[in-house]
Amino acid sequence: MMKAMKRLAAVALFVCAAGTVHAQGLKQVGMSVHDIVPKGWMHYEERGDLNKDGITDVVLMMKSNDKEHIVKRSDGYEYNYNQPIFAVYFGTSDGRLQKWKQYGMLLPADDPDNENCTININFEITQRGALIISIQPDCSAGSYFTHIDRYTYRFQDGDFYLIGKEDESIQRNTGDVTLHSENYLTWKRQVKKSNFSEDTPPVEKWTRLAKKPLEKMGARKLGTE
């Protein structure tokens, strides 16, 4: 029992230390994205007004340059398998970017044992301030099937809440497309089936969802359901 407690304590210490490294890496306040993101880190950004104060905000996905998780191919190409970090920065009235929150395990990471597949992650901020995060595995060989997961979040009551989710599956060989869409504001679920190679109208089915409290961002690792 004592050994198990020591192991748990060691794991907790490691997790806290990793979180501290990430927290130290990203600046709390910056004048630009390049001022915030540490030198040598990969990053992808999207801009829009998330908290509806009329000031542009920024969402960031970053990967550190920790060499322990970087694999170089024989032709010199480097795979970065570091865990993606997601962060939200709100714009301020004096033109700065203020970190609201960062998430170390929100986004899925590429699998170092499968270099033929990568995970494409994209962001969109709508005119109404909703944040859409899209997750799509992309394999260069050996796959007739692909799918896209889309998560829609809205900032309200001091946090980001999941207000909608879609998963779209596509069979490349048959052309069959199935879309499952859930709206957590109307509590309705849609299943739509179509075929991209046939000129036929889609078939839709609607059902009601049981109401429950909205889920906060960070409650799940996206793309792993």
Side-chain angles (χ1 to χ4, degrees), residues 10-191:
V11 170
L13 181 62
F14 173 78
V15 171
C16 290
T20 302
V21 170
H22 288 162
Q24 291 174 345
L26 298 178
K27 288 186 177 180
Q28 190 70 25
V29 181
M31 295 302 298
S32 68
V33 169
H34 291 290
D35 186 28
I36 292 167
V37 179
K39 186 177 181 181
W41 283 27
M42 297 172 57
H43 78 275
Y44 165 70
E45 66 184 83
E46 186 64 33
R47 296 173 177 268
D49 186 4
L50 292 166
N51 56 359
K52 301 181 180 66
D53 63 354
I55 302 173
T56 300
D57 309 309
V58 177
V59 293
L60 289 165
M61 178 183 69
M62 296 148 288
K63 286 186 179 182
S64 76
N65 55 354
D66 183 354
K67 294 188 181 299
E68 183 179 353
H69 301 292
I70 294 178
V71 177
K72 182 177 288 189
R73 213 164 53 187
S74 58
D75 60 0
Y77 179 83
E78 291 186 343
Y79 295 97
N80 189 330
Y81 292 112
N82 283 285
Q83 170 64 42
I85 303 167
F86 179 78
V88 177
Y89 280 78
F90 288 140
T92 64
S93 58
D94 59 358
R96 297 183 298 170
L97 294 171
Q98 174 76 45
K99 184 169 71 173
W100 180 77
K101 191 179 287 188
Q102 72 179 62
Y103 305 81
M105 298 299 292
L106 178 71
L107 303 175
D110 289 335
D111 182 0
D113 294 325
N114 189 358
E115 66 176 31
N116 292 321
C117 292
T118 187
I119 300 176
N120 294 326
I121 304 173
N122 291 287
F123 309 133
E124 177 188 353
I125 299 176
T126 68
Q127 290 186 344
R128 301 182 68 178
L131 170 63
I132 303 173
I133 302 177
S134 300
I135 313 288
Q136 181 180 16
D138 184 15
C139 296
S140 59
S143 176
Y144 287 107
F145 170 82
T146 186
H147 72 274
I148 307 171
D149 293 316
R150 302 182 186 92
Y151 305 83
T152 301
Y153 290 92
R154 186 171 70 183
F155 189 75
Q156 60 186 43
D157 301 325
D159 212 328
F160 284 92
Y161 290 89
L162 184 68
I163 61 171
K165 180 182 181 298
E166 289 184 352
D167 64 84
E168 185 176 23
S169 60
I170 303 167
Q171 291 280 10
R172 295 191 180 103
N173 56 337
T174 64
D176 290 334
V177 180
T178 303
L179 175 68
H180 298 88
S181 179
E182 296 182 348
N183 187 317
Y184 304 130
L185 299 179
T186 62
W187 297 104
K188 291 182 179 180
R189 185 174 191 265
Q190 177 196 34
V191 178

Side-chain angles (χ1 to χ4, degrees), residues 203-223:
V203 177
E204 298 183 13
K205 181 180 179 180
W206 291 84
T207 56
R208 286 199 169 273
L209 296 168
K211 291 185 179 181
K212 58 183 179 180
L214 294 178
E215 177 183 297
K216 286 185 179 182
M217 180 183 286
R220 69 171 80 191
K221 189 169 187 176
L222 306 185

